[in-house]
Amino acid sequence: MARGDAGRGGGLLALTFCLLAARGELLLMQQTTVELSCGAGPLQVILDPEQAVLLDCSLGAAAAGPPTSITWSKDRGALPEHSHLHLLPNGSLRLAPNGSDEAAPGLSEAIEGSYSCLAHGPLGVVASQAAVVKLATLRGFSLHPESQTVEENRTARFECHIEGLPAPIITWEKDHVTVPEEPRLITLPNGVLQILDVQESDRGSYRCVATNSARQRFSQEAVLSVAGRGSLVSTRGQDVVIVAAPENTTVVSGQSVVMECMASADPTPFVSWVRQDGNPIATDVIVLGRTNLLITSAQPQHSGVYVCRANKPRTRDFATAAAELRVLAAPAISQAPEALSRTRASTARFVCRASGEPRPALRWLHNGAPLRPNGRVKVQGGGGSLVITQIGLQDAGFYQCVAENGAGTACAAAPLSVVVREGLPSAPTRVTATPLSSSAVLVAWERPELHSEQIIGFSLHYQKARGVDNVEYQFAVNNDTTELQVRDLEPSTDYEFYVVAYSQLGASRTSAPALVHTLDDVPSAAPQLSLSSPNPLDIRVAWLPLPPSLSNGQVVKYKIEYGLGKEDQIFSTEVLGNETQHTLNSLQPNKVYRVRISAGTGAGYGAPSQWMQHRTPSMHSQSHVPFAPAELKVRARMESLVVSWQPPPHPAQISGYKLYWREVGAEEEADGEGPPGARGDQAWDVGPVRLKKKAKQYELTQLVPGRLYEVKLVAFNKHEDGYAAVWKGKTEKAPTPDLPIQRGPPLPPAHVHAESNSSTSIWLRWKKPDFTTVKIVNYTVRFSPWGLRNASLVTYYTSSGEDVLIGGLKPFTKYEFAVQSHGVDVDGPFGSVVERSTLPDRPSTPPSDLRLSSLTPSTVRLHWCPPTEPNGEIVEYLILYSDNHTQPEHQWTLLTTEGNIFSAEVRGLESDTRYFFKMGARTEVGPGPFSGLQDVITLQEKFSDSLDAHSVIGIIVGVCLGLLCLLACMCAGLRRGPHREALPGLSSTATTGNPALYSRARLGPSSPPPAHELESLVHPRPQDWSPPPSDIEDRAEVHSLMGGGVSDCRGHSKRKISWAQPGGPNWAGSWAGCELPQAGAMPSLTQALLPPAGTGQTLLLQALVYDAIKGNGRKKPPPACRNQVEADVIVHSDFSASKGNPNLHLHDLEPEDPLPLEAPDLTLGAIDLGQGEGWLDRHLGECERATTGPDRLTCLPEAASASCPYPDLQPSETLEESRNSCQPTAPAL
């Protein structure tokens, strides 16, 4: 094949033209460029003597860009070397006659022909349509006009015929002058000149002129003579005669056509047209002249039979002529195949639809070569559907759908790209197939050498190794086995097996095939016998060989058994497998024998045939009774039996043959006993059929398929009938109803069920349709991600079984499935859609868009977005951080947060320190990979952010003074006996039930931060004690601090969580004032919050001062609430205290440490929290208290402009729940 590289520049092409011009070959030559690709064709190119053509080859619309190389062919062979054929550097082919005469020797053979090319591209090869190149010619006239004499006012008609390329234009000359354009002078495109209403001036010589690009030719001249009206006797009173009838015409769509009809009569007849089918003639059909029809652009709807009717005026005399017009439509691709990209071992389906008249036939090409179907590659639906299963790299390339009919061809191409992912397992190795029996084979293999640990399963594929269009079957195999026993195979048949390994990423390459030949089995049927007797002592046994479908291997021997009809003694003899007849000798004359035969292979004998009975001739009547016909053979068909035979010995003694046959009943067939061959004529269903002496064959028709019949043939003479030759056998079984004639497409499968197998695979199972008249040969599974509307992402799998394991899916993704049934050359519709999601998996990617920002010297804020491939629902985010990124990962600090949080703050860090962070996500399956390292430097701590030495000393002195004041007040209160007694629950004397008057227990950090601490000792009170009404409101507020719900606060609580210092957790919050009832019983603690009866309780109130001092005397802006106090509430229990009332109220508190100077007077023996609350109220103002539980205190702002009277008491830095670009944030870590 000649090849040209398309990548060369255009300079060489220009240089070539310059060289040709220098040689004088382009001076007067015009050039036409024709592009060849996969499209409509064939292209007709007609070259004039002074014209050249340039054939370009391209990939067409199937691919962008020029081809990398081009291969040319002529008449489906190699491109010959000739001076008129020039292969240009850019791959184009130039054809130039060089101005030679068309009669130049060898020019026609060198130029004319069918040219095509193969365009090679990165994705494959595309074959172009053909370009048929011919030289312009104009041959001589095959029909010349003839002279004639016509009466005036009649019609004259001249006709000529000539052929040429291109089709010549026909004109007429009268006396060497072109006839004028007059309505009376009509020139038809088919070379006919009609002269209507002939006049004396029309007399003259007429000739036909044919012209095309090759030359011009003139026909012989014909003379028109004009006679007076009525002067010609032959036309006087003439009946209607159609002089020129329309002819059957076949044209291609778009061409013009003329239906001519010319009649003669006296007087001139009227001509009309109708369609034979009764439809009206199309409105675009023109009446040319008076009697002709002209269709300027014929279309398929113009096809039909047109009838011309000529009526003689004022009479019922008429004549008709009919002609059929057939308009062919060149093929057109109505649905072109689409470009596909598939992973290895998946399935690709190309669909092609074409229209045309007649209906075009479809064929497929792969990389420019005809596609040969096999077990993996199947052409379905009459050629319109191409299915490729178990795709491999060898299947990549261009696939072309070519539609052909008598009017032309059409072509469409689409590429198939095979995607091979990295990390796939290699192909399974050492595949072996060992036959176990005639129908079972053990297939074994070894695991792949690469990425074997990632394998999740195998698929075993097999098909017949011989023949074409075999069906490929496949089985899914679990990962824990490397062998499979395949059953239900055909005996003595070659099979081909191969294995594919699957991982979560996809499929491996196919393994090397393993060939095996199944063992022979015993024949599944016996040969069909025919018996005859050449003499009284012999029986000739004849049979036909078994077909391969019944022999189950090579037949190596036959066993013939025989004996007298009613005796138990049976004789047998063996015959070699290549024999088809045998003679039983030394028998008794005029006896009924029964005979049967069985065929044997290497596996043994099969079931024998049924007994056949035959009577040997008598020794006394040999001179008169004819012998039985020899070599009786019957070939069984589905509804007929073809009986053939040879004449018996001494054929001159016979006069003919009699043929009988009958259907053997079911009971008789089961018993195996048939009537003797000499039974009477009444026992036969049909017969006798008398045949001539020379007859040697006869066909019995109208039989029932699959039934057992018996045939008897006897020769007869003028005296009596001869001995019979008998045959018994079955007609062929009728095929399933759908094989020859389909009643309709098969129904979709039933009970389709999808089951998740892993995060990347789903089992799909189904059952055969419940009701169908079509034999199902295989199924197609269509699946795609749920809700997908992009048809190019839909994937197809083909399965011959009723289940398939679909792999290579995305984790935690919903897919939709539909299954389609396939019959023989017919496809059913897809069934209802079944949805199923793959199982979740670990995230494939870490959280994205991680951002770090330093808020304070000890706090860093993190923002992130979910992973791009979560592969499931994120249940937790993992944060790792360390100040040393070289440490092992297990030494880093691990923090976790919920999966719906996308922002967090990390506290307790050191100032001015570089920290390294990385994040991961975890699903219910496990954690995914961590993100890359990101670092951040915490802020440098300023001096104003900590207390100086003088401030610390002042605080310590103030605390000590406060403690001394508290002790003095307690002593003074104890000395006031009456007043102390007025306060129930306090006693200066220890009782038996209360051995310890005051008991303390402290819970909390071993080294708490500096704080004002207030401890109160709570003692049991008498059951009849009731507090004064003035204390109810105060005590209610204290109760609210412990979580009581006595008030309906106006605020809404909002939890704020911050990271605690190493000593323990801090719960930061704020207070808000509540409107409490002015009267009513004292609220009591809930039973859930109270310790066991008799235990004392200590309330430790720590008021922490945060950011009390700012640098340069600056103060923070006032908070939204007018008064805010950050406090931690800790409840301590002394379980060693004396028993008391379980419904204990908080009432008397004795201070241990002094309160601030603004505190109320504590000169009483015990401090009432109600009084302490009054002091608090004066400082907290109108803040509302939120009843959010004993561990949460929240201050809700009343106005944005509110300010606190104590700006030095600022709230601690807490994490406000915020929203970034992803989702609401989580509490700080």
Side-chain angles (χ1 to χ4, degrees):
M1 303 293 282
R3 297 183 179 270
D5 295 329
R8 309 283 178 86
L12 294 177
L13 179 62
L15 178 60
T16 302
F17 284 148
C18 292
L19 293 176
L20 293 174
R23 294 167 52 187
E25 296 182 4
L26 290 177
L27 295 177
L28 301 176
M29 189 170 295
Q30 299 178 352
Q31 181 169 286
T32 302
T33 301
V34 177
E35 181 177 341
L36 300 184
S37 63
C38 180
L43 301 178
Q44 298 288 341
V45 180
I46 300 175
L47 288 181
D48 296 336
E50 302 295 334
Q51 185 182 15
V53 64
L54 185 66
L55 301 180
D56 287 338
C57 187
S58 70
L59 293 169
T68 57
S69 63
I70 297 173
T71 303
W72 287 96
S73 63
K74 179 184 178 184
D75 297 330
R76 298 185 179 182
L79 185 69
E81 295 184 2
H82 199 276
S83 59
H84 299 289
L85 306 178
H86 307 282
L87 189 61
L88 303 183
N90 69 340
S92 299
L93 180 63
R94 185 172 184 271
L95 285 70
N98 297 335
S100 303
D101 184 74
E102 63 181 57
L107 178 62
S108 176
E109 291 77 6
I111 296 293
E112 293 185 338
S114 176
Y115 294 85
S116 60
C117 66
L118 295 177
H120 300 256
L123 299 180
V125 182
V126 176
S128 73
Q129 81 275 34
V132 180
V133 179
K134 293 185 178 181
L135 298 177
T137 59
L138 184 61
R139 306 185 184 278
F141 282 91
S142 59
L143 178 64
H144 293 270
E146 297 179 355
S147 300
Q148 54 186 292
T149 301
V150 180
E151 292 182 355
E152 287 185 322
N153 297 327
R154 295 296 180 91
T155 301
R157 180 179 181 272
F158 292 103
E159 181 181 8
C160 66
H161 188 267
I162 189 173
E163 293 182 353
L165 285 176
I169 299 175
I170 304 298
T171 59
W172 288 87
E173 293 181 354
K174 175 190 175 185
D175 299 331
H176 302 275
V177 177
T178 304
V179 296
E181 295 183 0
E182 295 184 9
R184 293 188 311 106
L185 304 179
I186 300 172
T187 301
L188 302 182
N190 58 354
V192 173
L193 173 64
Q194 293 179 351
I195 305 175
L196 307 179
D197 300 330
V198 173
Q199 302 174 5
E200 185 64 28
S201 59
D202 297 327
R203 186 190 306 269
S205 297
Y206 292 83
R207 69 176 180 178
C208 178
V209 182
T211 307
N212 68 0
S213 58
R215 61 186 303 171
Q216 186 179 64
R217 290 187 181 273
F218 299 90
S219 71
Q220 298 177 2
E221 295 185 355
V223 178
L224 174 62
S225 302
V226 180
R229 186 173 180 82
S231 60
L232 299 179
V233 179
S234 59
T235 61
R236 192 178 307 160
Q238 178 185 7
D239 294 333
V240 179
V241 177
I242 295 181
V243 179
E247 298 179 351
N248 295 333
T249 307
T250 300
V251 296
V252 178
S253 177
Q255 294 181 347
S256 62
V257 61
V258 173
M259 305 287 287
E260 183 186 11
C261 184
M262 183 175 176
S264 175
D266 185 21
T268 303
F270 298 104
V271 176
S272 61
W273 288 89
V274 293
R275 287 179 59 107
Q276 193 177 57
D277 55 11
N279 295 329
I281 296 178
T283 57
D284 57 350
V285 177
I286 302 173
V287 177
L288 186 61
R290 297 176 182 174
T291 61
N292 311 295
L293 293 183
L294 172 63
I295 304 175
T296 57
S297 178
Q299 300 299 327
Q301 62 267 22
H302 292 133
S303 298
V305 177
Y306 291 80
V307 179
C308 167
R309 179 186 176 100
N311 290 81
K312 188 175 182 179
R314 295 184 299 276
T315 67
R316 296 182 179 181
D317 187 13
F318 68 92
T320 60
E324 181 182 5
L325 172 63
R326 186 182 182 190
V327 181
L328 304 182
I333 303 295
S334 57
Q335 181 179 354
E338 298 180 353
L340 298 178
S341 178
R342 293 290 183 267
T343 58
R344 193 163 55 193
S346 60
T347 300
R349 176 186 290 268
F350 292 100
V351 178
C352 182
R353 299 286 184 268
S355 59
E357 179 58 39
R359 183 178 178 179
L362 299 178
R363 60 185 178 92
W364 291 87
L365 305 177
H366 177 215
N367 283 335
L371 185 68
R372 296 182 178 180
N374 53 46
R376 294 190 309 106
V377 181
K378 291 188 175 299
V379 178
Q380 301 174 345
S385 179
L386 175 63
V387 179
I388 308 171
T389 60
Q390 288 298 312
I391 292 176
L393 294 177
Q394 70 276 12
D395 298 316
F398 281 101
Y399 288 84
Q400 294 175 251
C401 170
V402 181
E404 297 175 318
N405 67 4
T409 63
C411 174
L416 172 62
S417 301
V418 180
V419 179
V420 179
R421 301 177 181 175
E422 296 183 357
L424 292 175
S426 58
T429 60
R430 299 184 180 179
V431 180
T432 60
T434 305
L436 301 179
S437 67
S438 61
S439 61
V441 170
L442 178 63
V443 184
W445 62 91
E446 292 186 3
R447 299 177 67 87
E449 298 177 354
L450 299 178
H451 306 290
S452 177
E453 69 283 353
Q454 301 178 3
I455 294 176
I456 62 175
F458 299 92
S459 64
L460 174 63
H461 305 257
Y462 71 95
Q463 63 176 341
K464 292 181 180 179
R466 301 181 184 275
V468 296
D469 200 19
N470 294 321
V471 177
E472 181 178 278
Y473 302 90
Q474 66 179 17
F475 290 99
V477 185
N478 293 331
N479 183 33
D480 55 356
T481 182
T482 56
E483 65 178 20
L484 181 68
Q485 189 175 126
V486 182
R487 301 180 182 274
D488 298 330
L489 304 178
E490 295 183 8
S492 187
T493 305
D494 293 326
Y495 284 92
E496 179 184 84
F497 295 84
Y498 67 90
V499 185
V500 179
Y502 286 85
S503 69
Q504 292 185 351
L505 297 178
S508 70
R509 293 182 292 106
T510 59
S511 67
L515 297 176
V516 66
H517 184 85
T518 54
L519 301 179
D520 290 350
D521 199 354
V522 297
S524 55
Q528 296 181 350
L529 281 178
S530 64
L531 304 177
S532 61
S533 292
N535 56 68
L537 303 179
D538 297 336
I539 295 179
R540 179 179 292 135
V541 183
W543 61 91
L544 294 177
L546 289 174
S549 59
L550 299 177
S551 63
N552 295 336
Q554 183 179 0
V555 176
V556 296
K557 54 188 175 180
Y558 295 96
K559 182 171 67 173
I560 302 174
E561 299 174 282
Y562 63 97
L564 289 174
K566 299 300 181 180
E567 295 183 3
D568 296 335
Q569 186 178 9
I570 300 298
F571 302 94
S572 66
T573 181
E574 288 190 355
V575 182
L576 295 179
N578 57 352
E579 299 290 340
T580 58
Q581 66 179 12
H582 180 72
T583 301
L584 303 177
N585 301 315
S586 304
L587 303 179
Q588 300 180 23
N590 198 23
K591 294 290 185 180
V592 176
Y593 283 87
R594 53 178 181 169
V595 183
R596 69 179 181 181
I597 188 173
S598 57
T601 62
Y605 284 107
S609 65
Q610 294 186 353
W611 289 107
M612 284 189 64
Q613 294 184 352
H614 178 77
R615 180 182 293 273
T616 56
S618 174
M619 294 289 293
H620 304 289
S621 57
Q622 293 187 36
S623 59
H624 301 289
V625 179
F627 290 104
E631 300 182 15
L632 175 64
K633 296 181 180 180
V634 178
R635 184 169 299 276
R637 297 178 179 175
M638 190 169 62
E639 296 180 350
S640 64
L641 295 174
V642 179
V643 184
S644 61
W645 64 91
Q646 292 297 326
H650 312 292
Q653 299 177 0
I654 66 173
S655 303
Y657 299 95
K658 293 181 180 180
L659 183 63
Y660 305 83
W661 73 91
R662 71 183 184 94
E663 181 180 347
V664 179
E667 296 181 358
E668 184 180 348
E669 180 180 354
D671 296 338
E673 295 291 340
R679 65 168 51 234
D681 294 351
Q682 294 80 7
W684 298 92
D685 296 341
V686 179
V689 176
R690 292 180 175 270
L691 303 175
K692 294 182 178 181
K693 179 180 178 179
K694 295 183 179 180
K696 295 182 180 181
Q697 180 174 310
Y698 187 81
E699 183 176 5
L700 311 179
T701 58
Q702 297 181 355
L703 305 182
V704 180
R707 297 291 181 87
L708 181 63
Y709 287 89
E710 185 178 14
V711 178
K712 184 181 74 169
L713 181 67
V714 297
F716 68 93
N717 56 23
K718 58 183 178 179
H719 299 288
E720 57 185 333
D721 293 343
Y723 295 100
V726 183
W727 174 92
K728 182 187 290 186
K730 288 185 177 181
T731 53
E732 291 184 355
K733 291 183 178 180
T736 53
D738 63 289
L739 290 179
I741 301 175
Q742 299 283 355
R743 296 185 179 179
L747 297 176
H751 311 292
V752 180
H753 173 69
E755 180 181 354
S756 301
N757 182 63
S758 67
S759 60
T760 59
S761 61
I762 291 178
W763 273 108
L764 193 67
R765 296 180 172 90
W766 60 89
K767 298 293 182 183
K768 289 184 179 180
D770 296 332
F771 303 99
T772 181
T773 59
V774 178
K775 180 181 179 181
I776 306 299
V777 295
N778 57 5
Y779 302 90
T780 294
V781 177
R782 180 190 68 194
F783 71 94
S784 63
W786 180 81
L788 183 68
R789 294 296 179 265
N790 189 351
S792 63
L793 299 181
V794 178
T795 307
Y796 296 88
Y797 270 88
T798 299
S799 174
S800 56
E802 297 181 3
D803 58 5
V804 64
L805 178 63
I806 300 176
L809 307 180
K810 293 183 179 180
F812 202 62
T813 303
K814 181 185 288 188
Y815 287 85
E816 56 184 23
F817 303 86
V819 187
Q820 175 188 28
S821 303
H822 296 286
V824 178
D825 294 333
V826 63
D827 302 332
F830 280 96
S832 58
V833 174
V834 176
E835 299 174 358
R836 190 70 178 182
S837 298
T838 52
L839 298 178
D841 201 352
R842 300 170 184 264
S844 302
T845 58
S848 59
D849 196 21
L850 176 61
R851 291 170 292 170
L852 306 176
S853 59
S854 182
L855 298 181
T856 67
S858 62
T859 307
V860 170
R861 174 172 290 175
L862 293 82
H863 292 274
W864 65 89
C865 286
T868 56
E869 296 182 5
N871 296 341
E873 182 179 354
I874 302 298
V875 299
E876 191 176 49
Y877 287 103
L878 311 176
I879 302 176
L880 285 178
Y881 73 93
S882 175
D883 57 357
N884 184 3
H885 65 87
T886 62
Q887 288 182 338
E889 194 171 273
H890 68 272
Q891 296 183 5
W892 289 43
T893 303
L894 173 64
L895 305 176
T896 60
T897 183
E898 297 179 0
N900 58 349
I901 303 301
F902 304 97
S903 178
E905 291 182 4
V906 179
R907 298 176 179 271
L909 307 178
E910 296 182 3
S911 62
D912 196 21
T913 303
R914 180 184 298 274
Y915 284 91
F916 299 91
F917 287 82
K918 56 183 178 180
M919 285 196 66
R922 185 175 68 86
T923 63
E924 61 182 10
V925 179
F930 280 88
S931 64
L933 284 178
Q934 293 197 31
D935 61 324
V936 64
I937 300 178
T938 55
L939 299 179
Q940 186 175 4
E941 186 175 9
K942 298 180 180 180
F943 180 75
S944 58
D945 293 336
S946 61
L947 298 176
D948 55 13
H950 297 288
S951 299
V952 173
I953 295 174
I955 291 175
I956 294 175
V957 173
V959 170
C960 294
L961 292 177
L963 293 174
L964 293 176
C965 292
L966 289 176
L967 292 174
C969 293
M970 292 173 59
C971 294
L974 292 174
R975 288 194 294 270
R976 294 182 180 179
H979 181 71
R980 182 172 55 86
E981 296 173 356
L983 296 175
L986 293 179
S987 175
S988 59
T989 304
T991 63
T992 304
N994 190 10
L997 180 60
Y998 301 112
S999 176
R1000 295 185 53 195
R1002 182 188 301 267
L1003 296 177
S1006 58
S1007 299
H1012 299 286
E1013 184 176 298
L1014 176 62
E1015 289 191 353
S1016 64
L1017 302 181
V1018 182
H1019 305 278
R1021 60 174 176 79
Q1023 295 182 2
D1024 57 350
W1025 177 87
S1026 61
S1030 61
D1031 294 339
I1032 293 177
E1033 180 179 351
D1034 299 336
R1035 295 190 185 98
E1037 183 169 350
V1038 175
H1039 178 65
S1040 69
L1041 293 176
M1042 299 303 297
V1046 299
S1047 64
D1048 184 16
C1049 294
R1050 296 186 302 268
H1052 173 69
S1053 65
K1054 184 175 184 181
R1055 182 174 184 178
K1056 303 178 181 180
I1057 305 173
S1058 63
W1059 279 98
Q1061 297 295 334
N1066 269 334
W1067 296 96
S1070 58
W1071 283 12
C1074 297
E1075 296 180 358
L1076 303 177
Q1078 300 300 323
M1082 182 66 173
S1084 61
L1085 293 175
T1086 62
Q1087 295 290 340
L1089 296 177
L1090 288 177
T1095 60
Q1097 295 197 357
T1098 303
L1099 175 65
L1100 174 61
L1101 177 63
Q1102 297 178 341
L1104 301 180
V1105 179
Y1106 186 81
D1107 290 341
I1109 302 176
K1110 291 293 182 179
N1112 299 327
R1114 293 177 298 173
K1115 301 179 180 179
K1116 288 185 178 181
C1121 183
R1122 289 199 298 260
N1123 296 283
Q1124 291 185 351
V1125 175
E1126 299 293 338
D1128 284 357
V1129 178
I1130 304 176
V1131 177
H1132 302 277
S1133 299
D1134 186 357
F1135 295 99
S1136 64
S1138 60
K1139 298 180 180 180
N1141 190 345
N1143 296 323
L1144 178 65
H1145 292 274
L1146 294 178
H1147 176 63
D1148 295 334
L1149 300 175
E1150 181 173 336
E1152 180 184 24
D1153 296 329
L1155 291 173
L1157 297 177
E1158 293 83 355
D1161 187 9
L1162 302 177
T1163 58
L1164 298 178
I1167 299 176
D1168 193 335
L1169 267 183
Q1171 299 178 8
E1173 186 184 21
W1175 171 78
L1176 289 172
D1177 287 340
R1178 290 196 302 272
H1179 295 286
L1180 297 180
E1182 298 298 325
C1183 289
E1184 297 178 356
R1185 182 182 311 139
T1187 60
T1188 60
D1191 58 341
R1192 290 183 282 183
L1193 299 173
T1194 305
C1195 177
L1196 299 179
E1198 290 183 356
S1201 60
S1203 61
C1204 290
Y1206 290 87
D1208 291 339
L1209 298 178
Q1210 298 296 337
S1212 64
E1213 294 292 336
T1214 60
L1215 171 63
E1216 294 288 347
E1217 296 186 10
S1218 61
R1219 296 180 180 268
N1220 58 11
S1221 60
C1222 304
Q1223 294 290 338
T1225 62
L1229 304 177

